[in-house]
PDB file of all heavy atoms in Angstrom:
ATOM      1  N   VAL A   1     -90.987  21.070 -28.174  1.00  0.00           N
ATOM      2  CA  VAL A   1     -90.825  21.396 -26.762  1.00  0.00           C
ATOM      3  C   VAL A   1     -91.877  22.438 -26.332  1.00  0.00           C
ATOM      4  O   VAL A   1     -92.449  22.331 -25.241  1.00  0.00           O
ATOM      5  CB  VAL A   1     -89.390  21.964 -26.542  1.00  0.00           C
ATOM      6  CG1 VAL A   1     -89.312  22.669 -25.190  1.00  0.00           C
ATOM      7  CG2 VAL A   1     -88.429  20.871 -26.693  1.00  0.00           C
ATOM      8  N   THR A   2     -92.134  23.430 -27.156  1.00  0.00           N
ATOM      9  CA  THR A   2     -93.149  24.433 -26.866  1.00  0.00           C
ATOM     10  C   THR A   2     -94.491  23.850 -26.656  1.00  0.00           C
ATOM     11  O   THR A   2     -95.247  24.148 -25.641  1.00  0.00           O
ATOM     12  CB  THR A   2     -93.135  25.580 -27.874  1.00  0.00           C
ATOM     13  OG1 THR A   2     -91.925  26.132 -27.946  1.00  0.00           O
ATOM     14  CG2 THR A   2     -94.157  26.693 -27.499  1.00  0.00           C
ATOM     15  N   VAL A   3     -94.952  22.962 -27.526  1.00  0.00           N
ATOM     16  CA  VAL A   3     -96.272  22.340 -27.378  1.00  0.00           C
ATOM     17  C   VAL A   3     -96.319  21.444 -26.184  1.00  0.00           C
ATOM     18  O   VAL A   3     -97.243  21.522 -25.424  1.00  0.00           O
ATOM     19  CB  VAL A   3     -96.574  21.537 -28.685  1.00  0.00           C
ATOM     20  CG1 VAL A   3     -97.844  20.751 -28.511  1.00  0.00           C
ATOM     21  CG2 VAL A   3     -96.771  22.439 -29.884  1.00  0.00           C
ATOM     22  N   LEU A   4     -95.278  20.647 -25.896  1.00  0.00           N
ATOM     23  CA  LEU A   4     -95.318  19.777 -24.760  1.00  0.00           C
ATOM     24  C   LEU A   4     -95.255  20.674 -23.457  1.00  0.00           C
ATOM     25  O   LEU A   4     -95.828  20.263 -22.469  1.00  0.00           O
ATOM     26  CB  LEU A   4     -94.080  18.851 -24.809  1.00  0.00           C
ATOM     27  CG  LEU A   4     -94.199  17.793 -25.902  1.00  0.00           C
ATOM     28  CD1 LEU A   4     -92.927  16.933 -26.017  1.00  0.00           C
ATOM     29  CD2 LEU A   4     -95.423  16.894 -25.660  1.00  0.00           C
ATOM     30  N   HIS A   5     -94.611  21.724 -23.481  1.00  0.00           N
ATOM     31  CA  HIS A   5     -94.543  22.657 -22.307  1.00  0.00           C
ATOM     32  C   HIS A   5     -95.980  23.129 -22.016  1.00  0.00           C
ATOM     33  O   HIS A   5     -96.384  23.106 -20.829  1.00  0.00           O
ATOM     34  CB  HIS A   5     -93.597  23.870 -22.669  1.00  0.00           C
ATOM     35  CG  HIS A   5     -93.534  24.924 -21.589  1.00  0.00           C
ATOM     36  ND1 HIS A   5     -92.472  24.998 -20.762  1.00  0.00           N
ATOM     37  CD2 HIS A   5     -94.427  25.856 -21.173  1.00  0.00           C
ATOM     38  CE1 HIS A   5     -92.663  26.029 -19.964  1.00  0.00           C
ATOM     39  NE2 HIS A   5     -93.840  26.597 -20.178  1.00  0.00           N
ATOM     40  N   GLU A   6     -96.705  23.611 -22.999  1.00  0.00           N
ATOM     41  CA  GLU A   6     -97.995  24.055 -22.819  1.00  0.00           C
ATOM     42  C   GLU A   6     -99.024  23.008 -22.408  1.00  0.00           C
ATOM     43  O   GLU A   6     -99.900  23.175 -21.619  1.00  0.00           O
ATOM     44  CB  GLU A   6     -98.532  24.873 -24.063  1.00  0.00           C
ATOM     45  CG  GLU A   6     -97.666  26.034 -24.429  1.00  0.00           C
ATOM     46  CD  GLU A   6     -97.317  27.040 -23.360  1.00  0.00           C
ATOM     47  OE1 GLU A   6     -98.132  27.162 -22.354  1.00  0.00           O
ATOM     48  OE2 GLU A   6     -96.256  27.690 -23.387  1.00  0.00           O
ATOM     49  N   ILE A   7     -98.808  21.781 -22.944  1.00  0.00           N
ATOM     50  CA  ILE A   7     -99.669  20.665 -22.454  1.00  0.00           C
ATOM     51  C   ILE A   7     -99.344  20.337 -21.040  1.00  0.00           C
ATOM     52  O   ILE A   7    -100.242  19.947 -20.297  1.00  0.00           O
ATOM     53  CB  ILE A   7     -99.406  19.415 -23.426  1.00  0.00           C
ATOM     54  CG1 ILE A   7     -99.951  19.656 -24.763  1.00  0.00           C
ATOM     55  CG2 ILE A   7     -99.954  18.157 -22.822  1.00  0.00           C
ATOM     56  CD1 ILE A   7     -99.588  18.605 -25.882  1.00  0.00           C
ATOM     57  N   GLY A   8     -98.148  20.476 -20.620  1.00  0.00           N
ATOM     58  CA  GLY A   8     -97.786  20.296 -19.190  1.00  0.00           C
ATOM     59  C   GLY A   8     -98.586  21.246 -18.309  1.00  0.00           C
ATOM     60  O   GLY A   8     -99.009  20.884 -17.250  1.00  0.00           O
ATOM     61  N   HIS A   9     -98.740  22.554 -18.792  1.00  0.00           N
ATOM     62  CA  HIS A   9     -99.494  23.405 -17.950  1.00  0.00           C
ATOM     63  C   HIS A   9    -100.936  22.932 -17.891  1.00  0.00           C
ATOM     64  O   HIS A   9    -101.639  23.070 -16.893  1.00  0.00           O
ATOM     65  CB  HIS A   9     -99.489  24.825 -18.571  1.00  0.00           C
ATOM     66  CG  HIS A   9     -98.193  25.582 -18.371  1.00  0.00           C
ATOM     67  ND1 HIS A   9     -97.630  25.656 -17.038  1.00  0.00           N
ATOM     68  CD2 HIS A   9     -97.355  26.270 -19.196  1.00  0.00           C
ATOM     69  CE1 HIS A   9     -96.476  26.401 -17.213  1.00  0.00           C
ATOM     70  NE2 HIS A   9     -96.325  26.742 -18.470  1.00  0.00           N
ATOM     71  N   HIS A  10    -101.520  22.370 -18.960  1.00  0.00           N
ATOM     72  CA  HIS A  10    -102.869  21.799 -18.941  1.00  0.00           C
ATOM     73  C   HIS A  10    -102.981  20.743 -17.870  1.00  0.00           C
ATOM     74  O   HIS A  10    -104.039  20.661 -17.232  1.00  0.00           O
ATOM     75  CB  HIS A  10    -103.168  21.255 -20.408  1.00  0.00           C
ATOM     76  CG  HIS A  10    -104.369  20.458 -20.373  1.00  0.00           C
ATOM     77  ND1 HIS A  10    -105.643  21.031 -20.421  1.00  0.00           N
ATOM     78  CD2 HIS A  10    -104.615  19.069 -20.455  1.00  0.00           C
ATOM     79  CE1 HIS A  10    -106.584  20.121 -20.427  1.00  0.00           C
ATOM     80  NE2 HIS A  10    -105.974  18.880 -20.527  1.00  0.00           N
ATOM     81  N   PHE A  11    -101.968  19.968 -17.651  1.00  0.00           N
ATOM     82  CA  PHE A  11    -102.008  19.009 -16.647  1.00  0.00           C
ATOM     83  C   PHE A  11    -101.568  19.444 -15.283  1.00  0.00           C
ATOM     84  O   PHE A  11    -101.254  18.594 -14.370  1.00  0.00           O
ATOM     85  CB  PHE A  11    -101.186  17.703 -17.146  1.00  0.00           C
ATOM     86  CG  PHE A  11    -101.943  16.960 -18.148  1.00  0.00           C
ATOM     87  CD1 PHE A  11    -101.539  16.999 -19.489  1.00  0.00           C
ATOM     88  CD2 PHE A  11    -103.083  16.208 -17.853  1.00  0.00           C
ATOM     89  CE1 PHE A  11    -102.185  16.363 -20.473  1.00  0.00           C
ATOM     90  CE2 PHE A  11    -103.769  15.579 -18.828  1.00  0.00           C
ATOM     91  CZ  PHE A  11    -103.328  15.603 -20.147  1.00  0.00           C
ATOM     92  N   GLY A  12    -101.351  20.794 -15.117  1.00  0.00           N
ATOM     93  CA  GLY A  12    -101.068  21.337 -13.774  1.00  0.00           C
ATOM     94  C   GLY A  12     -99.525  21.452 -13.463  1.00  0.00           C
ATOM     95  O   GLY A  12     -99.260  21.813 -12.289  1.00  0.00           O
ATOM     96  N   LEU A  13     -98.639  21.227 -14.393  1.00  0.00           N
ATOM     97  CA  LEU A  13     -97.252  21.375 -14.066  1.00  0.00           C
ATOM     98  C   LEU A  13     -96.856  22.854 -14.095  1.00  0.00           C
ATOM     99  O   LEU A  13     -97.298  23.625 -14.950  1.00  0.00           O
ATOM    100  CB  LEU A  13     -96.415  20.537 -15.149  1.00  0.00           C
ATOM    101  CG  LEU A  13     -96.612  19.061 -15.215  1.00  0.00           C
ATOM    102  CD1 LEU A  13     -95.853  18.443 -16.366  1.00  0.00           C
ATOM    103  CD2 LEU A  13     -96.219  18.436 -13.850  1.00  0.00           C
ATOM    104  N   GLY A  14     -95.965  23.167 -13.176  1.00  0.00           N
ATOM    105  CA  GLY A  14     -95.478  24.564 -13.068  1.00  0.00           C
ATOM    106  C   GLY A  14     -94.157  24.681 -13.813  1.00  0.00           C
ATOM    107  O   GLY A  14     -93.586  23.680 -14.414  1.00  0.00           O
ATOM    108  N   GLU A  15     -93.674  25.889 -13.964  1.00  0.00           N
ATOM    109  CA  GLU A  15     -92.442  26.215 -14.680  1.00  0.00           C
ATOM    110  C   GLU A  15     -91.274  25.349 -14.220  1.00  0.00           C
ATOM    111  O   GLU A  15     -90.490  24.895 -15.027  1.00  0.00           O
ATOM    112  CB  GLU A  15     -92.093  27.651 -14.613  1.00  0.00           C
ATOM    113  CG  GLU A  15     -93.130  28.561 -15.355  1.00  0.00           C
ATOM    114  CD  GLU A  15     -93.227  28.315 -16.865  1.00  0.00           C
ATOM    115  OE1 GLU A  15     -92.144  27.953 -17.478  1.00  0.00           O
ATOM    116  OE2 GLU A  15     -94.274  28.411 -17.420  1.00  0.00           O
ATOM    117  N   GLU A  16     -91.089  25.222 -12.918  1.00  0.00           N
ATOM    118  CA  GLU A  16     -90.023  24.475 -12.344  1.00  0.00           C
ATOM    119  C   GLU A  16     -90.068  22.946 -12.748  1.00  0.00           C
ATOM    120  O   GLU A  16     -89.053  22.378 -13.103  1.00  0.00           O
ATOM    121  CB  GLU A  16     -89.975  24.522 -10.830  1.00  0.00           C
ATOM    122  CG  GLU A  16     -89.828  25.917 -10.303  1.00  0.00           C
ATOM    123  CD  GLU A  16     -91.136  26.689 -10.202  1.00  0.00           C
ATOM    124  OE1 GLU A  16     -92.281  26.075 -10.201  1.00  0.00           O
ATOM    125  OE2 GLU A  16     -91.069  27.919 -10.292  1.00  0.00           O
ATOM    126  N   ASP A  17     -91.326  22.445 -12.740  1.00  0.00           N
ATOM    127  CA  ASP A  17     -91.539  21.002 -13.175  1.00  0.00           C
ATOM    128  C   ASP A  17     -91.155  20.852 -14.573  1.00  0.00           C
ATOM    129  O   ASP A  17     -90.459  19.908 -14.977  1.00  0.00           O
ATOM    130  CB  ASP A  17     -93.033  20.591 -12.972  1.00  0.00           C
ATOM    131  CG  ASP A  17     -93.457  20.688 -11.524  1.00  0.00           C
ATOM    132  OD1 ASP A  17     -92.734  20.304 -10.634  1.00  0.00           O
ATOM    133  OD2 ASP A  17     -94.609  21.113 -11.319  1.00  0.00           O
ATOM    134  N   LEU A  18     -91.622  21.758 -15.466  1.00  0.00           N
ATOM    135  CA  LEU A  18     -91.334  21.658 -16.869  1.00  0.00           C
ATOM    136  C   LEU A  18     -89.922  21.801 -17.154  1.00  0.00           C
ATOM    137  O   LEU A  18     -89.306  21.109 -18.058  1.00  0.00           O
ATOM    138  CB  LEU A  18     -92.132  22.710 -17.630  1.00  0.00           C
ATOM    139  CG  LEU A  18     -93.711  22.462 -17.473  1.00  0.00           C
ATOM    140  CD1 LEU A  18     -94.443  23.608 -17.912  1.00  0.00           C
ATOM    141  CD2 LEU A  18     -94.088  21.219 -18.384  1.00  0.00           C
ATOM    142  N   GLU A  19     -89.184  22.672 -16.471  1.00  0.00           N
ATOM    143  CA  GLU A  19     -87.776  22.922 -16.672  1.00  0.00           C
ATOM    144  C   GLU A  19     -87.008  21.577 -16.365  1.00  0.00           C
ATOM    145  O   GLU A  19     -86.078  21.151 -17.025  1.00  0.00           O
ATOM    146  CB  GLU A  19     -87.238  24.038 -15.906  1.00  0.00           C
ATOM    147  CG  GLU A  19     -85.781  24.363 -16.144  1.00  0.00           C
ATOM    148  CD  GLU A  19     -85.332  25.722 -15.654  1.00  0.00           C
ATOM    149  OE1 GLU A  19     -86.160  26.395 -15.009  1.00  0.00           O
ATOM    150  OE2 GLU A  19     -84.117  25.958 -15.843  1.00  0.00           O
ATOM    151  N   ARG A  20     -87.387  21.013 -15.206  1.00  0.00           N
ATOM    152  CA  ARG A  20     -86.761  19.742 -14.727  1.00  0.00           C
ATOM    153  C   ARG A  20     -86.934  18.638 -15.684  1.00  0.00           C
ATOM    154  O   ARG A  20     -86.057  17.761 -15.961  1.00  0.00           O
ATOM    155  CB  ARG A  20     -87.304  19.386 -13.343  1.00  0.00           C
ATOM    156  CG  ARG A  20     -86.723  18.171 -12.700  1.00  0.00           C
ATOM    157  CD  ARG A  20     -87.190  17.874 -11.336  1.00  0.00           C
ATOM    158  NE  ARG A  20     -88.648  18.071 -11.093  1.00  0.00           N
ATOM    159  CZ  ARG A  20     -89.643  17.352 -11.445  1.00  0.00           C
ATOM    160  NH1 ARG A  20     -89.400  16.170 -12.061  1.00  0.00           N
ATOM    161  NH2 ARG A  20     -90.877  17.701 -11.171  1.00  0.00           N
ATOM    162  N   LEU A  21     -88.136  18.646 -16.412  1.00  0.00           N
ATOM    163  CA  LEU A  21     -88.349  17.582 -17.400  1.00  0.00           C
ATOM    164  C   LEU A  21     -87.780  17.884 -18.865  1.00  0.00           C
ATOM    165  O   LEU A  21     -87.837  17.081 -19.744  1.00  0.00           O
ATOM    166  CB  LEU A  21     -89.876  17.436 -17.542  1.00  0.00           C
ATOM    167  CG  LEU A  21     -90.572  16.879 -16.309  1.00  0.00           C
ATOM    168  CD1 LEU A  21     -92.136  17.043 -16.460  1.00  0.00           C
ATOM    169  CD2 LEU A  21     -90.215  15.387 -16.083  1.00  0.00           C
ATOM    170  N   GLY A  22     -87.194  19.116 -18.971  1.00  0.00           N
ATOM    171  CA  GLY A  22     -86.555  19.478 -20.227  1.00  0.00           C
ATOM    172  C   GLY A  22     -87.532  20.118 -21.170  1.00  0.00           C
ATOM    173  O   GLY A  22     -87.170  20.271 -22.346  1.00  0.00           O
ATOM    174  N   TYR A  23     -88.614  20.678 -20.689  1.00  0.00           N
ATOM    175  CA  TYR A  23     -89.476  21.320 -21.544  1.00  0.00           C
ATOM    176  C   TYR A  23     -89.599  22.790 -21.285  1.00  0.00           C
ATOM    177  O   TYR A  23     -90.620  23.416 -21.116  1.00  0.00           O
ATOM    178  CB  TYR A  23     -90.966  20.696 -21.395  1.00  0.00           C
ATOM    179  CG  TYR A  23     -90.988  19.263 -21.767  1.00  0.00           C
ATOM    180  CD1 TYR A  23     -91.377  18.330 -20.838  1.00  0.00           C
ATOM    181  CD2 TYR A  23     -90.713  18.890 -23.129  1.00  0.00           C
ATOM    182  CE1 TYR A  23     -91.320  17.023 -21.249  1.00  0.00           C
ATOM    183  CE2 TYR A  23     -90.769  17.527 -23.429  1.00  0.00           C
ATOM    184  CZ  TYR A  23     -91.037  16.602 -22.470  1.00  0.00           C
ATOM    185  OH  TYR A  23     -91.133  15.302 -22.875  1.00  0.00           O
ATOM    186  N   ARG A  24     -88.442  23.421 -21.331  1.00  0.00           N
ATOM    187  CA  ARG A  24     -88.351  24.899 -21.075  1.00  0.00           C
ATOM    188  C   ARG A  24     -87.675  25.498 -22.286  1.00  0.00           C
ATOM    189  O   ARG A  24     -86.761  25.087 -22.816  1.00  0.00           O
ATOM    190  CB  ARG A  24     -87.483  25.075 -19.817  1.00  0.00           C
ATOM    191  CG  ARG A  24     -87.266  26.482 -19.465  1.00  0.00           C
ATOM    192  CD  ARG A  24     -88.283  27.066 -18.682  1.00  0.00           C
ATOM    193  NE  ARG A  24     -87.867  28.435 -18.406  1.00  0.00           N
ATOM    194  CZ  ARG A  24     -88.545  29.236 -17.778  1.00  0.00           C
ATOM    195  NH1 ARG A  24     -89.725  28.893 -17.267  1.00  0.00           N
ATOM    196  NH2 ARG A  24     -88.233  30.496 -17.566  1.00  0.00           N
TER     197      ARG A  24
END
């Protein structure tokens, strides 16, 4: 989850987006 969360930031996702996707 942590690695996917940080990869999400690489692709421009914010904290709210990542939480909605379950990567928080």
Side-chain angles (χ1 to χ4, degrees):
V1 167
T2 301
V3 170
L4 291 174
H5 178 103
E6 301 310 331
I7 290 171
H9 286 311
H10 170 75
F11 286 107
L13 297 176
E15 293 297 326
E16 301 81 25
D17 300 318
L18 294 164
E19 186 168 358
R20 184 175 37 80
L21 294 168
Y23 298 118
R24 175 87 182 179

